[in-house]
Amino acid sequence: MPGPEFELPPQYDPRTVEPSLYQRWLARDVFLPRPSGDPYVIVIPPPNLTAVLHVGHALNNIIQDVLIRFERMRGRAAEWLPGTDHAGIATQNVVEKQIAAEGKTRFDLGREAFVERVWAFVRETGDTIIEQLKIIGCSCDWSRTRFTLDTAYSRSVRETFVRLWEEGLIYRGHRVIHWCPHCLTALSDEEAEHHDTNGNLYHIKYPLVDGSGFVTVATTRPETLLGDTAVAVHPKDPRGKPYVGKKLRLPIANVEIPVVADDSVDKEFGTGFVKVTPAHDPNDFDIGMRHKLAMPLVMTEDGRMGGPADRVPRELAGLDRFDARKKIVKLLEAQGLLVKIEPHPHSVRRCYRCDTVVEPRLSDQWFAKMKPLAEPVLAAYRRGEFKIVPERWRATFEHWMENIRDWNISRQLWWGHRIPVFTCTKCKHQWADRQDPTTCPKCGGPVEQDPDVLDTWFSSWLWPFATFGWPQHTDDLARFYPGHTLVTAPEILQLWVSRMLMSGYHFMERLPFTTVYLTGTVRDTKHRKMSKSLGNGIDPRDVVQLYGTDALRWTLIGGGSLGADVIVDPDDLESTFAPGRNFANKLWNIGRFILSQLPRDVATIDSVKRTSLTLADRWILSRAQATIREATASLEQFRLDEAAKRCFEFVWNELADWYVEAVKPRLDDPAAKAVLAHCFDTALRLLHPVVPFITEELWQKLPGRKADDLIAVTDWPTTRSELADADADAQFARVKTAIERIRSIRAEYRISPKTRLAAAIVLRGGDRAATFEGERETITRLAHLESLALNGAALPTGAAHAVFGDGSEVVVALSGSIDVQQECKRLATESERLEKLISGLAARLSNENFVSRAPAEVVAKEREKERTWREQRDVLAGKLRALGCV
RNA sequence: GGGCGAAUAGCUCAGCGGUUCAGAGCGCCUGCCUUACACGCAGGAUGUCGGGGGUUCGAAUCCCUCUUCGCCCACCA
């Protein structure tokens, strides 16, 4: 008998195998799409370059990797395009913070030097992020790595802008937008996030100019009263009617403002009188437009009070808006104009990048019209041309698409794509240009480019096709657009996903993907989202260092179902990731055992005669078939967790716990070796997408591997009907049950493995006995493991016993005596339980409705069950009598 | 203010009309170093499936309602 050809350590050490395997995959170009074949395309959600990745990002990318590896093994030309996002405002913020630490601002450096500085930063984090993706095993096509500021990519961005301009979908809007006083830029609606706040509602008296009294307004932002140009009432509100057309004296500012009637006022809210600040509130802006009111700004861009001298008194000018609020309240109080302050919870918008309270501000910005882009996408969704999983996001998506508003695409930043709008300083002609013009095409005068840059999402919304070279008609574009699956976090469904769908449909006339997979969120034990700012972010590299990449992947994939959150305890990585590590180690040891048994020329399963297979052989082969079928179906439905769990069961509970044990007595049987090799090979392939490293490592060691074979590009197992065997499934299930009963009895009576025992399986029905006869060696072996001697003879009564489902029973006789009292007690309890079950079932079966309405097979099954239970009860009664129990 | 989701074993979560649906992992208890694995093996305990109604022959599973948590959306100052 040939000994093992190599020795493997009993503990798997991922650190020694993972890096070299990754290099090997790279060297063989397995991550490149196959030159031919049906493409399967995923574009990575390009990570921001603001910080290194945490486990939340890892989840997202591992899901993509599982899908791409699965499809690659199925023979598709799998293309996973990686890259990174310049993340305009976010990145600029981080670098500005760095500069601030040096006591400088971006204005000290100047635009060019600042942008250079950002580039340096971005190159560094970019490298780290790519490195992290490799460490977690991502099989991206690195030859096509893109960055949203690449030269070619920038051309795409510019082309889009100019096209939209030419189509009349871009316009200059003078309106109130969300302004971040910290980032000093406009934000889109989506970038100004709602946060619930415990604010106050201030009731303030505005005196009538004619001295005849006051009206009282209610506001949450008293400091904006300096910018009031009217007070509005609802036209049908009797309280306000008498005042319409009258003049009020604005407190503190000392200007006169009118009372106007406007439908938008809610009679129910506050006092019914609304102060109107057109330059600092979007609603008030609309009112201002309707009533042709002046719109003075009373705050500076950085959130301090400042404006026309008649409105902003010297004592307030330059004061921060929140300090100004306190001061104004004091002044009002002193003048007796403050009626009351009542608590008023409401929502305040904050900048999604720096968390500063956003200030609505009248400003000129570029907008893109969205309705014409959104409508066809919504229609396509309703026609089922793409789907979102989990399906529950449907309402959110549709609601957003139905109520879409124009998109503010200009940002007062330096880091990003400069807006390609040019203005002639002489004739004021304004146009968008694909090239940088030097002179005005109309009058030849000098030109100026718009100083602002585009919203970062204005480049990322082109990701599915700009990355493949659009607007050039490249081969890549023809082959890889449209793609297939987009995997991302639900929080950017609007910000990014819906816009990609719109741009794809608009510019490419095809939707960019067929499925949007929205992942869950990785949270800590307090259910807080994992993030750097909260300090609960875990670097996936730390986990990999401790437990290995496969353990990380296993935990994240197997730990949560489709779209569900995954909880990671940052203070106890061990308990979070140990299951993954343990599973890898289990796989390793099964491999160690099986590999030590396999000869170099192990037979294929096809060359083994059916007749030389035992029940256990046929059973495990059949289980393998079931696993292939179920795991494949789960993956096709994006249920990665189900697929992983099914494979886990096959490997651990079926292959290791039962088959490997059952086969030990006949390890010199070539058929057994063939079955072992086949099942292990199948398991490795099925598991490879989830745990790529250890499966590759073990698969390499299987007999018959050629030097350039790699599991990463080998075939996905397919089902073969001739190996499925329902008979074997059923029969082996019975063997298992019998063995389990024996073990249970042994444990219950604390029979040490050294104690000699005899047991019998007494079967009801001769045919089944015959079946078992044929499987004697399996049973004998398993029984031996339990230190049980198994034979077919009946044994003395009075021994411990078990009855199971189909009426067969196990009787175990001990060489010594048993505790009769204890056994009586046990039997009585069991008898009682059974009696209860029987009476419940009998009631059900005597229910006419059940018998007539339930499906026939259900009724039949219940009848059969009742019959069995009654038999069992009789057997128990016999035992009780035999033992002399009362 | 709307919409969505979640509440199942001590913890983290599967299951989402009948088919072992009362489950998995971790933890816990009892035995075991049985020639792959103690990151293991065998056996075991633990849940009125958030409360209350309803539909049904039958409900963790569908409907209503309440409570508690999340999330998303929202121009009521």
Side-chain angles (χ1 to χ4, degrees), chain A residues 31-34 39-43 68 72 76-82 139 141 143-144 468 476 480:
Chain A
F31 301 163
L32 297 182
R34 286 190 172 80
Y40 175 74
V41 182
I42 297 180
V43 291
I68 210 91
R72 183 183 293 128
R76 306 273 293 265
E79 165 65 17
W80 184 12
L81 183 132
S139 59
D141 174 4
S143 74
R144 288 181 171 84
F468 292 121
D476 273 9
F480 301 129

Side-chain angles (χ1 to χ4, degrees), chain A residues 676-710:
Chain A
L676 276 175
H678 173 82
C679 289
F680 193 54
D681 178 285
T682 301
L684 291 177
R685 291 180 200 226
L686 293 175
L687 280 163
H688 180 257
V690 181
V691 282
F693 289 103
I694 190 167
T695 48
E696 184 73 86
E697 178 72 7
L698 289 168
W699 197 76
Q700 289 299 325
K701 295 182 176 5
L702 279 171
R705 292 285 95 85
K706 289 193 274 305
D708 51 355
D709 282 349
L710 287 169

Side-chain angles (χ1 to χ4, degrees), chain A residues 836-856:
Chain A
K836 242 187 235 167
L837 285 172
I838 290 168
S839 69
L841 200 53
R844 202 167 169 198
L845 281 167
S846 62
N847 182 329
E848 257 179 59
N849 281 324
F850 171 67
V851 177
S852 59
R853 298 217 205 154

Side-chain angles (χ1 to χ4, degrees), chain A residues 44-228:
Chain A
I44 205 170
N48 289 352
L49 292 173
T50 45
V52 300
L53 306 181
H54 59 241
V55 170
H57 303 108
L59 168 65
N60 190 333
N61 287 296
I62 289 166
I63 289 168
Q64 296 174 68
D65 195 48
V66 172
L67 295 173
I68 210 91
R69 284 179 185 271
F70 170 53
E71 297 293 357
R72 183 183 293 128
M73 289 177 77
R74 292 172 111 195
R76 306 273 293 265
E79 165 65 17
W80 184 12
L81 183 132
T84 46
D85 194 303
H86 70 284
I89 185 170
T91 314
Q92 172 154 338
N93 252 319
V94 173
V95 177
E96 280 191 320
K97 252 179 224 159
Q98 289 182 355
I99 297 174
E102 298 160 19
K104 287 191 228 158
T105 72
R106 72 185 209 236
F107 301 100
D108 296 329
L109 292 183
R111 185 162 188 154
E112 221 168 286
F114 178 77
V115 168
E116 216 17 77
R117 177 86 187 239
V118 183
W119 270 108
F121 169 76
V122 145
R123 273 188 273 265
E124 199 184 313
T125 32
D127 289 348
T128 309
I129 285 171
I130 300 294
E131 193 49 39
Q132 285 179 304
L133 290 173
K134 290 179 175 174
I135 284 175
I136 63 175
C138 293
S139 59
C140 303
D141 174 4
W142 301 110
S143 74
R144 288 181 171 84
T145 308
R146 299 287 184 264
F147 179 50
T148 52
L149 276 178
D150 287 342
T151 315
Y153 199 101
S154 300
R155 270 200 297 276
S156 306
V157 173
R158 191 147 174 179
E159 176 68 25
T160 346
F161 186 93
V162 175
R163 281 202 196 180
L164 290 176
W165 176 280
E166 288 167 353
E167 293 165 30
L169 293 175
I170 286 179
Y171 66 94
R172 190 73 169 162
H174 178 69
R175 62 172 71 165
V176 172
I177 45 84
H178 304 291
W179 181 267
C180 175
H182 174 261
C183 302
L184 300 180
T185 178
L187 299 172
S188 67
D189 293 332
E190 297 71 40
E191 292 171 322
E193 297 182 334
H194 291 275
H195 288 272
D196 289 335
T197 315
N198 292 316
N200 294 316
L201 194 58
Y202 302 84
H203 293 250
I204 303 164
K205 288 199 280 195
Y206 284 17
L208 284 145
V209 169
D210 61 16
S212 63
F214 306 90
V215 304
T216 304
V217 302
T219 180
T220 54
R221 294 189 300 154
E223 69 279 10
T224 63
L225 74 78
L226 299 180
D228 288 1

